[in-house]
């Protein structure tokens, strides 16, 4: 996501177009999973053994694109459906369509949990909606002892209209987990965790309109910037989160028989 080692920047339209092209392109992607309306592809990064690029797609019947877009922005609702999330909060806003936030993620035991600080930006482009992020450093939110600070090189959603009431959701992620993960974890992500996560987003999208009607229905700061009460922060406060400056742990020898997947994930 970062432009050839440059500092932190706010993505512009060309970055969103490039992201959309990656989501829609088949070239260079290997299909890993294709069942029940969910497809998962992967792309091996030649210069890294630990960083894998994964792309997923799901058809969301009866969930309009603007509903999915609102739902994926709504951190209050995320606590309802994202069982892997430990904590998330917004740190500050950069522009009307860019902010900085924190997210911590529960990894399958016995792996250590991960967390991220990311610069997130969003853009509706005609009938397409996109939300993208990459990792940054903020001086007030350094790595914590109880998490491994992971690095999002590029992660995001593309939502496209499909039919009169439905949508197609793409999720593309390239993350450095800051650790040598066991092979079974990498396989489990594409065959098990990723499809489950996409189905969970779809189900959450179906339920979101009803939930939102009862929870501050007119509050959508991602659509109405004047509602945004986050403190302003400047790009000068941020720097790129380089993976090589973070702790790297070796979990490659952890055995699968010690892995526990929560009931909600199973």
């Amino acid at each position: 996501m970062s432009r050839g080692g440059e500092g932190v920047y706010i993505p512009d339209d060309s970055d969103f177009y490039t992201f959309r092209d990656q989501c829609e392109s088949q070239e260079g992607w290997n299909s890993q999973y294709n069942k029940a309306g969910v497809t998962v592809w992967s792309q091996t990064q030649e210069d890294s053994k630990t960083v894998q690029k994964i792309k997923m797609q799901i058809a969301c019947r009866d969930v309009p694109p603007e509903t999915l877009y609102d739902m994926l922005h709504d951190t209050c609702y995320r606590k309802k459906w994202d069982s892997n999330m430990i904590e998330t909060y917004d740190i500050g806003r950069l522009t009307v369509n860019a902010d900085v936030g924190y997210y911590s993620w529960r990894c399958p035991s016995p792996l250590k949990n991960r967390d991220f600080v990311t610069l997130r930006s969003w853009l509706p482009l005609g009938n397409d909606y996109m939300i993208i992020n990459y990792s940054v450093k903020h001086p007030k939110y350094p790595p914590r002892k109880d998490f491994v600070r992971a690095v999002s090189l590029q992660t995001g959603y593309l939502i496209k209209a499909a039919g009169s009431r439905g949508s197609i959701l793409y999720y593309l992620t390239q993350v450095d987990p800051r650790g040598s993960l066991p092979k079974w974890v990498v396989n489990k992500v594409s065959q098990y965790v990723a499809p489950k996560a996409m189905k969970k987003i779809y189900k959450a999208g179906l339920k979101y309109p009803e939930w939102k009607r009862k929870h501050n229905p007119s509050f959508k700061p991602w659509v109405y910037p004047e509602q945004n009460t986050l403190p302003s922060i400047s790009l000068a406060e941020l720097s790129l989160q380089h993976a090589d400056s973070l702790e790297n742990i070796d979990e490659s020898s952890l055995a699968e028989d010690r892995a526990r997947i929560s009931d909600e994930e199973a």
Side-chain angles (χ1 to χ4, degrees), residues 97-229:
N97 71 326
D99 62 16
V100 175
Y102 174 86
Y103 178 88
S104 53
W105 180 59
R106 188 176 290 105
C107 291
S109 175
L111 302 178
K112 287 183 78 171
N113 295 329
R114 262 67 176 174
D115 71 353
F116 300 86
V117 172
T118 59
L119 188 157
R120 180 182 63 157
S121 52
W122 54 92
L123 186 70
L125 263 180
N127 289 327
D128 297 345
Y129 296 82
M130 283 173 275
I131 306 170
I132 59 180
N133 76 52
Y134 67 94
S135 282
V136 292
K137 275 202 287 198
H138 189 293
K140 292 181 181 166
Y141 300 88
R144 293 164 45 168
K145 286 199 165 51
D146 48 338
F147 290 101
V148 175
R149 177 64 49 91
V151 178
S152 166
L153 301 166
Q154 177 184 41
T155 298
Y157 299 99
L158 165 66
I159 307 156
K160 296 183 73 68
S164 58
R165 293 274 312 146
S167 49
I168 292 173
L169 173 68
Y170 292 88
Y171 175 66
L172 187 151
T173 181
Q174 186 178 6
V175 166
D176 188 332
R178 296 318 295 147
S180 303
L181 298 176
K183 187 83 176 149
W184 61 264
V185 168
V186 178
N187 292 338
K188 191 162 264 192
V189 164
S190 58
Q191 295 297 317
Y192 183 85
V193 178
K196 290 277 181 199
M198 294 302 273
K199 287 172 191 165
K200 198 178 280 188
I201 289 173
Y202 177 26
K203 282 183 190 162
L206 288 166
K207 295 175 182 172
Y208 180 65
E210 183 61 31
W211 181 91
K212 187 62 175 168
R213 269 196 287 278
K214 300 172 186 167
H215 298 84
N216 215 345
S218 59
F219 184 69
K220 296 181 182 181
W222 52 91
V223 178
Y224 310 112
E226 65 276 10
Q227 296 178 342
N228 195 326
T229 57

Side-chain angles (χ1 to χ4, degrees), residues 62-123:
D62 303 318
V63 185
E66 58 274 16
T67 300
L68 264 186
Y69 181 66
D70 287 348
M71 181 206 104
L72 289 167
H73 268 291
D74 199 327
T75 50
C76 293
Y77 186 62
R78 187 162 198 132
K79 291 160 190 164
K80 292 269 175 203
W81 63 266
D82 188 352
S83 56
N84 292 320
M85 186 186 77
I86 299 168
E87 185 181 21
T88 189
Y89 52 82
D90 299 324
I91 292 169
R93 64 177 159 159
L94 292 156
T95 65
V96 293
N97 71 326
D99 62 16
V100 175
Y102 174 86
Y103 178 88
S104 53
W105 180 59
R106 188 176 290 105
C107 291
S109 175
L111 302 178
K112 287 183 78 171
N113 295 329
R114 262 67 176 174
D115 71 353
F116 300 86
V117 172
T118 59
L119 188 157
R120 180 182 63 157
S121 52
W122 54 92
L123 186 70

